[in-house]
Amino acid sequence: IFLGIGTMTDFEPLIARPSSLLLGAAAQLGIFFTFVGAKILGFTNQEAGAIGIIGGADGPTAIYVTSRLASELLGPIAIAAYSYMALVPVIQPPIMRGLTTKKERMIRMDALRTVSKKEKIVFPIAVTAFVALLVPSAAPLVGSLMLGNLFRECGVVDRLSKTAQNELMNIVVIFLGVSVGATAKAESFLSPMTLGILAMGIVAFMCGTAGGVLLAKFMNIFLPEGKKINPLIGSAGVSAVPMAARVSQKEGQREDPSNFLLMHAMGPNVAGVIGSAIAAGVLMSLFG
């Protein structure tokens, strides 16, 4: 699945504005905040890590981490992760509006610079090498993501790129959906613990959204007038691509219909995919 996601992901907005990586990292706050909350409620380290990863808003990552750390919770966590990903347009806007002023929501951002072909090819190689050295346990996820992106950008394996995007992705998703669904047995799913996981999942998601917005506001303190970041794009730091970026665009246009934030929001959005994979690697290295 990560290979397929990589072939469908355009990292150009992230490469054009590298500071987007910080917003993507800040949106992973929900993962670690919820991990601490789950520990306080009495879950084990492994269970707390699996529950916390819901905050990354990345279904495949949540399934991968849960299968490694707490496979007995796979059904509830997978359903929670995908449910909240689908509810991005409902959950995020009230938080975004509550944490920003009208003036901040109307900030216009400079057009992104043009990214060269060489930069697009070097980027996945450099990210894979960096992550493999920094967090080796995240290398399978990030490496697959970046290999898929290299398929897309190199321009010489078009057949492999199309296969990963379509046939391979569809087959794997079908098998994954059926196998995860088979673990959601009534005796393990219909329990108070499942309701607790769902509740903590939405807290994780809300904290991740808030983390991205608040970091963007903090960065604006140090940026000169005319170079400020619209805090709405910070909420796109969760990994729900491209849904979260579309929400940022829609909220920006509520205040100013001629303000286009979509491409600016795609930078934090794809950074969130990398960020959630690294967070997953950290949790697996600590508790796997």
Coordinates of all heavy atoms in Angstrom, one line a residue, residues 14-88:
L14 N 6.1 20.0 -1.0 CA 7.0 19.9 0.2 C 8.4 20.3 -0.1 O 9.1 21.0 0.6 CB 6.9 18.4 0.6 CG 7.9 18.0 1.8 CD1 7.6 18.9 3.0 CD2 7.7 16.6 2.1
I15 N 8.9 19.9 -1.3 CA 10.3 20.3 -1.7 C 10.4 21.8 -1.9 O 11.4 22.4 -1.6 CB 10.6 19.5 -3.0 CG1 10.6 18.0 -2.8 CG2 12.0 19.9 -3.5 CD1 10.7 17.2 -4.1
A16 N 9.3 22.4 -2.5 CA 9.3 23.8 -2.7 C 9.3 24.6 -1.4 O 9.8 25.7 -1.4 CB 8.1 24.2 -3.6
R17 N 8.7 24.1 -0.4 CA 8.6 24.8 0.9 C 9.0 23.8 2.0 O 8.1 23.2 2.7 CB 7.3 25.4 1.2 CG 7.2 26.2 2.5 CD 5.9 26.9 2.7 NE 5.9 28.2 2.0 CZ 5.0 28.5 1.0 NH1 4.1 27.6 0.7 NH2 5.0 29.6 0.4
P18 N 10.3 23.5 2.3 CA 10.7 22.5 3.2 C 10.2 22.7 4.6 O 10.1 21.8 5.4 CB 12.3 22.6 3.2 CG 12.6 23.2 1.9 CD 11.4 24.2 1.6
S19 N 9.8 24.0 5.0 CA 9.3 24.2 6.3 C 8.0 23.5 6.6 O 7.6 23.3 7.7 CB 9.1 25.7 6.5 OG 8.1 26.2 5.6
S20 N 7.4 23.0 5.5 CA 6.2 22.2 5.6 C 6.4 20.9 6.5 O 5.5 20.4 7.1 CB 5.6 21.8 4.3 OG 5.2 22.9 3.5
L21 N 7.7 20.5 6.5 CA 8.0 19.3 7.2 C 7.8 19.5 8.7 O 7.3 18.6 9.4 CB 9.5 18.9 7.0 CG 9.9 18.1 5.8 CD1 11.4 18.0 5.7 CD2 9.3 16.7 6.0
L22 N 8.0 20.7 9.2 CA 7.8 21.0 10.6 C 6.3 20.9 10.9 O 5.9 20.5 12.0 CB 8.3 22.4 10.9 CG 9.8 22.7 10.8 CD1 10.1 24.1 11.0 CD2 10.6 21.7 11.7
L23 N 5.4 21.4 10.0 CA 4.0 21.4 10.2 C 3.5 19.9 10.2 O 2.6 19.5 11.0 CB 3.2 22.2 9.2 CG 3.6 23.7 9.1 CD1 2.9 24.3 8.0 CD2 3.2 24.3 10.4
G24 N 4.1 19.1 9.3 CA 3.7 17.7 9.3 C 4.2 17.0 10.6 O 3.5 16.1 11.1
A25 N 5.3 17.4 11.1 CA 5.8 16.8 12.4 C 4.9 17.2 13.6 O 4.6 16.4 14.4 CB 7.3 17.2 12.6
A26 N 4.5 18.5 13.6 CA 3.7 19.0 14.7 C 2.4 18.3 14.8 O 1.8 18.1 15.8 CB 3.5 20.5 14.5
A27 N 1.8 17.9 13.6 CA 0.5 17.3 13.6 C 0.6 15.8 14.1 O -0.4 15.2 14.3 CB 0.0 17.2 12.1
Q28 N 1.8 15.3 14.4 CA 1.9 14.0 15.0 C 1.9 14.1 16.5 O 2.0 13.1 17.2 CB 3.3 13.3 14.6 CG 3.6 13.3 13.1 CD 2.4 12.9 12.3 OE1 1.7 11.9 12.5 NE2 2.1 13.6 11.2
L29 N 1.7 15.3 17.0 CA 1.5 15.5 18.5 C 0.4 14.6 19.1 O 0.6 14.1 20.2 CB 1.2 17.0 18.7 CG 0.8 17.4 20.2 CD1 2.1 17.3 21.1 CD2 0.2 18.8 20.2
G30 N -0.7 14.5 18.3 CA -1.8 13.7 18.8 C -1.4 12.2 19.1 O -1.9 11.6 20.0
I31 N -0.4 11.7 18.4 CA 0.0 10.3 18.6 C 0.6 10.2 20.0 O 0.2 9.3 20.8 CB 1.1 9.9 17.5 CG1 0.4 9.9 16.1 CG2 1.7 8.5 17.9 CD1 1.4 9.6 15.0
F32 N 1.5 11.0 20.3 CA 2.3 10.9 21.6 C 1.4 11.4 22.8 O 1.5 10.9 23.9 CB 3.6 11.6 21.5 CG 4.5 11.1 20.4 CD1 4.6 11.7 19.2 CD2 5.1 9.8 20.6 CE1 5.4 11.1 18.2 CE2 5.9 9.3 19.6 CZ 6.1 9.9 18.4
F33 N 0.6 12.4 22.6 CA -0.4 12.8 23.6 C -1.3 11.7 24.0 O -1.5 11.4 25.2 CB -1.1 14.0 23.1 CG -2.1 14.6 24.1 CD1 -1.6 15.6 25.0 CD2 -3.4 14.2 24.1 CE1 -2.5 16.1 26.0 CE2 -4.3 14.8 25.1 CZ -3.8 15.7 26.0
T34 N -1.8 11.0 23.0 CA -2.8 9.9 23.3 C -2.1 8.7 23.9 O -2.7 8.0 24.7 CB -3.5 9.5 22.0 OG1 -4.1 10.7 21.4 CG2 -4.6 8.5 22.3
F35 N -0.8 8.5 23.4 CA 0.0 7.4 24.0 C 0.0 7.6 25.6 O -0.2 6.7 26.3 CB 1.4 7.4 23.4 CG 2.3 6.5 24.2 CD1 2.3 5.1 24.0 CD2 3.2 7.0 25.1 CE1 3.2 4.3 24.7 CE2 4.1 6.2 25.8 CZ 4.1 4.8 25.6
V36 N 0.4 8.8 26.0 CA 0.4 9.1 27.4 C -0.9 8.9 28.1 O -1.0 8.3 29.2 CB 1.0 10.6 27.6 CG1 0.9 10.9 29.1 CG2 2.4 10.7 27.1
G37 N -2.0 9.4 27.4 CA -3.3 9.2 28.0 C -3.7 7.8 28.2 O -4.3 7.4 29.2
A38 N -3.4 7.0 27.1 CA -3.7 5.5 27.2 C -2.9 4.8 28.3 O -3.4 3.9 29.0 CB -3.4 4.9 25.9
K39 N -1.7 5.3 28.5 CA -0.9 4.7 29.6 C -1.5 5.0 31.0 O -1.6 4.2 31.9 CB 0.5 5.3 29.6 CG 1.4 4.6 28.5 CD 1.8 3.2 28.9 CE 2.7 3.2 30.2 NZ 2.9 1.8 30.7
I40 N -2.0 6.3 31.1 CA -2.6 6.7 32.4 C -3.8 5.9 32.7 O -4.2 5.5 33.8 CB -2.9 8.2 32.3 CG1 -1.7 9.0 32.3 CG2 -3.8 8.6 33.5 CD1 -1.9 10.5 32.1
L41 N -4.6 5.5 31.6 CA -5.8 4.7 31.7 C -5.5 3.2 32.0 O -6.5 2.4 32.1 CB -6.7 4.9 30.5 CG -7.3 6.3 30.3 CD1 -8.0 6.4 29.0 CD2 -8.2 6.6 31.5
G42 N -4.3 2.8 31.9 CA -3.9 1.4 32.3 C -3.6 0.5 31.2 O -3.4 -0.7 31.4
F43 N -3.5 1.0 29.9 CA -3.1 0.2 28.8 C -1.6 -0.1 28.9 O -0.8 0.7 29.4 CB -3.5 0.8 27.5 CG -4.9 0.9 27.2 CD1 -5.7 2.0 27.5 CD2 -5.5 -0.2 26.5 CE1 -7.1 2.0 27.2 CE2 -6.9 -0.2 26.2 CZ -7.7 0.9 26.6
T44 N -1.2 -1.2 28.3 CA 0.3 -1.5 28.3 C 0.9 -0.6 27.3 O 0.3 0.1 26.5 CB 0.5 -3.0 27.8 OG1 0.0 -3.1 26.5 CG2 -0.3 -3.9 28.7
N45 N 2.3 -0.6 27.3 CA 3.0 0.2 26.3 C 2.6 -0.1 24.9 O 2.5 0.8 24.0 CB 4.5 0.0 26.5 CG 5.1 0.7 27.8 OD1 4.5 1.7 28.2 ND2 6.1 0.1 28.3
Q46 N 2.5 -1.4 24.6 CA 2.2 -1.8 23.2 C 0.8 -1.4 22.8 O 0.6 -0.9 21.7 CB 2.4 -3.3 23.1 CG 3.8 -3.9 23.2 CD 4.4 -3.9 24.6 OE1 3.6 -3.7 25.5 NE2 5.7 -4.1 24.7
E47 N -0.1 -1.6 23.7 CA -1.5 -1.2 23.4 C -1.6 0.4 23.3 O -2.3 0.9 22.4 CB -2.5 -1.7 24.5 CG -2.6 -3.2 24.5 CD -3.4 -3.7 25.7 OE1 -3.5 -2.9 26.7 OE2 -3.9 -4.8 25.7
A48 N -1.0 1.1 24.2 CA -1.0 2.6 24.1 C -0.4 3.1 22.8 O -0.9 4.0 22.2 CB -0.3 3.2 25.3
G49 N 0.7 2.5 22.4 CA 1.3 2.9 21.1 C 0.4 2.6 19.9 O 0.3 3.5 19.0
A50 N -0.3 1.5 19.9 CA -1.2 1.2 18.8 C -2.4 2.1 18.8 O -2.8 2.5 17.7 CB -1.7 -0.3 19.0
I51 N -2.9 2.5 20.0 CA -4.0 3.4 20.1 C -3.6 4.8 19.6 O -4.2 5.5 18.9 CB -4.6 3.4 21.5 CG1 -5.2 2.1 21.8 CG2 -5.6 4.6 21.6 CD1 -5.5 1.9 23.3
G52 N -2.4 5.2 20.1 CA -1.9 6.6 19.8 C -1.7 6.8 18.3 O -1.9 7.9 17.8
I53 N -1.3 5.7 17.5 CA -1.0 5.9 16.1 C -2.3 6.3 15.3 O -2.2 6.8 14.2 CB -0.4 4.6 15.5 CG1 0.4 4.9 14.3 CG2 -1.4 3.6 15.2 CD1 1.7 5.7 14.5
I54 N -3.5 6.1 15.9 CA -4.7 6.6 15.2 C -4.6 8.1 14.9 O -5.1 8.6 13.9 CB -5.9 6.4 16.1 CG1 -6.1 4.9 16.4 CG2 -7.2 7.0 15.5 CD1 -7.2 4.5 17.4
G55 N -3.9 8.9 15.8 CA -3.7 10.3 15.6 C -3.0 10.7 14.4 O -3.1 11.9 14.0
G56 N -2.3 9.8 13.8 CA -1.6 10.1 12.5 C -2.5 10.2 11.3 O -2.2 10.6 10.3
A57 N -3.8 9.7 11.5 CA -4.8 9.7 10.4 C -4.3 9.0 9.2 O -4.5 9.4 8.1 CB -5.2 11.1 10.1
D58 N -3.6 7.9 9.4 CA -3.1 7.1 8.3 C -3.4 5.6 8.5 O -2.8 4.9 9.4 CB -1.5 7.3 8.3 CG -0.9 6.7 7.0 OD1 -1.5 5.7 6.5 OD2 0.1 7.3 6.5
G59 N -4.5 5.2 7.8 CA -5.0 3.8 8.0 C -3.9 2.7 7.8 O -3.8 1.9 8.7
P60 N -3.2 2.7 6.7 CA -2.2 1.6 6.6 C -1.1 1.6 7.7 O -0.7 0.5 8.2 CB -1.5 1.9 5.2 CG -2.6 2.7 4.5 CD -3.3 3.5 5.5
T61 N -0.7 2.8 8.1 CA 0.3 2.9 9.2 C -0.3 2.3 10.5 O 0.3 1.6 11.3 CB 0.8 4.3 9.4 OG1 1.3 4.8 8.2 CG2 1.8 4.4 10.5
A62 N -1.6 2.7 10.8 CA -2.2 2.2 12.0 C -2.3 0.7 12.0 O -2.1 0.0 13.0 CB -3.6 2.8 12.1
I63 N -2.7 0.1 10.8 CA -2.8 -1.4 10.7 C -1.4 -2.0 10.9 O -1.3 -3.0 11.6 CB -3.4 -1.7 9.4 CG1 -4.9 -1.3 9.3 CG2 -3.3 -3.2 9.1 CD1 -5.5 -1.4 8.0
Y64 N -0.4 -1.4 10.3 CA 0.9 -2.0 10.4 C 1.4 -2.0 11.8 O 1.9 -3.0 12.3 CB 1.9 -1.2 9.5 CG 3.3 -1.7 9.4 CD1 3.6 -2.9 8.7 CD2 4.3 -1.1 10.0 CE1 4.9 -3.3 8.6 CE2 5.6 -1.5 9.9 CZ 5.9 -2.7 9.2 OH 7.2 -3.1 9.1
V65 N 1.3 -0.9 12.5 CA 1.8 -0.8 13.9 C 1.0 -1.7 14.8 O 1.6 -2.3 15.6 CB 1.7 0.7 14.3 CG1 2.1 0.8 15.8 CG2 2.7 1.6 13.5
T66 N -0.3 -1.7 14.7 CA -1.1 -2.5 15.6 C -0.8 -4.0 15.4 O -0.8 -4.7 16.4 CB -2.6 -2.2 15.3 OG1 -2.9 -0.8 15.4 CG2 -3.5 -2.9 16.3
S67 N -0.6 -4.4 14.1 CA -0.3 -5.8 13.9 C 1.0 -6.2 14.6 O 1.2 -7.4 14.9 CB -0.3 -6.1 12.4 OG 0.8 -5.4 11.8
R68 N 1.9 -5.3 14.7 CA 3.2 -5.5 15.4 C 3.2 -5.4 16.9 O 3.8 -6.2 17.6 CB 4.3 -4.6 14.8 CG 4.6 -4.7 13.4 CD 5.3 -6.0 13.1 NE 5.8 -6.1 11.7 CZ 7.0 -5.8 11.4 NH1 7.9 -5.2 12.2 NH2 7.4 -5.9 10.1
L69 N 2.3 -4.5 17.4 CA 2.4 -4.2 18.8 C 1.2 -4.8 19.6 O 1.4 -5.3 20.7 CB 2.4 -2.7 19.0 CG 3.5 -1.9 18.5 CD1 3.4 -0.4 18.9 CD2 4.9 -2.4 19.0
A70 N 0.0 -4.8 19.0 CA -1.2 -5.3 19.8 C -2.2 -5.8 18.8 O -3.2 -5.2 18.6 CB -1.8 -4.1 20.6
S71 N -1.9 -7.0 18.2 CA -2.7 -7.5 17.2 C -4.2 -7.8 17.6 O -5.1 -7.8 16.8 CB -2.1 -8.8 16.6 OG -1.9 -9.7 17.6
E72 N -4.4 -8.0 18.9 CA -5.7 -8.2 19.4 C -6.6 -7.0 19.3 O -7.9 -7.1 19.3 CB -5.7 -8.7 20.9 CG -5.3 -7.7 21.9 CD -3.8 -7.5 22.0 OE1 -3.1 -8.1 21.2 OE2 -3.4 -6.7 22.9
L73 N -6.0 -5.8 19.1 CA -6.8 -4.6 19.0 C -6.9 -4.1 17.5 O -7.4 -3.0 17.2 CB -6.1 -3.4 19.8 CG -6.0 -3.6 21.3 CD1 -5.3 -2.4 21.9 CD2 -7.3 -3.9 21.9
L74 N -6.6 -5.0 16.6 CA -6.5 -4.6 15.2 C -7.8 -4.1 14.6 O -7.9 -3.1 14.0 CB -6.0 -5.8 14.3 CG -5.7 -5.5 12.9 CD1 -4.7 -4.3 12.7 CD2 -5.1 -6.7 12.2
G75 N -8.9 -4.9 14.9 CA -10.2 -4.5 14.4 C -10.7 -3.1 14.9 O -11.0 -2.2 14.1
P76 N -10.8 -2.9 16.2 CA -11.2 -1.6 16.7 C -10.3 -0.4 16.2 O -10.8 0.7 15.8 CB -11.1 -1.7 18.2 CG -11.2 -3.1 18.5 CD -10.6 -3.8 17.3
I77 N -9.0 -0.6 16.2 CA -8.1 0.5 15.8 C -8.2 0.8 14.3 O -8.2 2.0 13.9 CB -6.7 0.2 16.2 CG1 -6.5 0.3 17.7 CG2 -5.7 1.1 15.5 CD1 -5.2 -0.1 18.3
A78 N -8.3 -0.2 13.5 CA -8.5 0.0 12.1 C -9.8 0.7 11.7 O -9.8 1.7 10.9 CB -8.4 -1.3 11.3
I79 N -10.8 0.3 12.4 CA -12.1 1.0 12.2 C -12.1 2.4 12.6 O -12.6 3.3 12.0 CB -13.3 0.2 12.8 CG1 -13.5 -1.1 12.1 CG2 -14.6 1.0 12.9 CD1 -14.4 -2.1 12.7
A80 N -11.5 2.6 13.8 CA -11.4 4.0 14.3 C -10.6 4.9 13.4 O -11.0 6.0 13.1 CB -10.7 4.0 15.7
A81 N -9.4 4.4 12.9 CA -8.5 5.2 12.1 C -9.2 5.6 10.8 O -9.2 6.7 10.4 CB -7.2 4.4 11.8
Y82 N -9.9 4.6 10.1 CA -10.5 4.9 8.9 C -11.8 5.7 9.0 O -12.1 6.6 8.2 CB -10.8 3.6 8.1 CG -9.6 3.1 7.4 CD1 -8.9 2.0 7.9 CD2 -9.2 3.7 6.2 CE1 -7.7 1.5 7.2 CE2 -8.1 3.2 5.5 CZ -7.3 2.1 6.0 OH -6.2 1.7 5.4
S83 N -12.5 5.6 10.2 CA -13.7 6.4 10.4 C -13.3 7.8 10.6 O -13.9 8.7 10.0 CB -14.4 5.9 11.7 OG -14.9 4.6 11.5
Y84 N -12.3 8.1 11.4 CA -11.9 9.5 11.6 C -11.2 10.1 10.3 O -11.4 11.3 10.1 CB -10.9 9.6 12.8 CG -11.6 9.2 14.1 CD1 -11.0 8.4 15.0 CD2 -13.0 9.6 14.3 CE1 -11.7 8.0 16.2 CE2 -13.6 9.2 15.5 CZ -13.0 8.4 16.4 OH -13.7 8.0 17.5
M85 N -10.6 9.3 9.5 CA -10.1 9.8 8.2 C -11.2 10.3 7.4 O -11.2 11.3 6.7 CB -9.3 8.7 7.5 CG -7.9 8.5 8.1 SD -7.1 7.0 7.4 CE -6.9 7.6 5.7
A86 N -12.3 9.5 7.4 CA -13.5 9.9 6.6 C -14.2 11.1 7.1 O -14.9 11.8 6.4 CB -14.5 8.7 6.5
L87 N -14.0 11.3 8.5 CA -14.7 12.4 9.1 C -13.8 13.7 9.2 O -14.2 14.6 9.9 CB -15.1 12.0 10.5 CG -16.3 11.0 10.6 CD1 -16.5 10.5 12.0 CD2 -17.6 11.6 10.1
V88 N -12.7 13.7 8.5 CA -11.9 14.9 8.4 C -12.7 16.2 8.2 O -12.5 17.2 8.9 CB -10.8 14.8 7.4 CG1 -10.1 16.1 7.1 CG2 -9.7 13.8 7.9

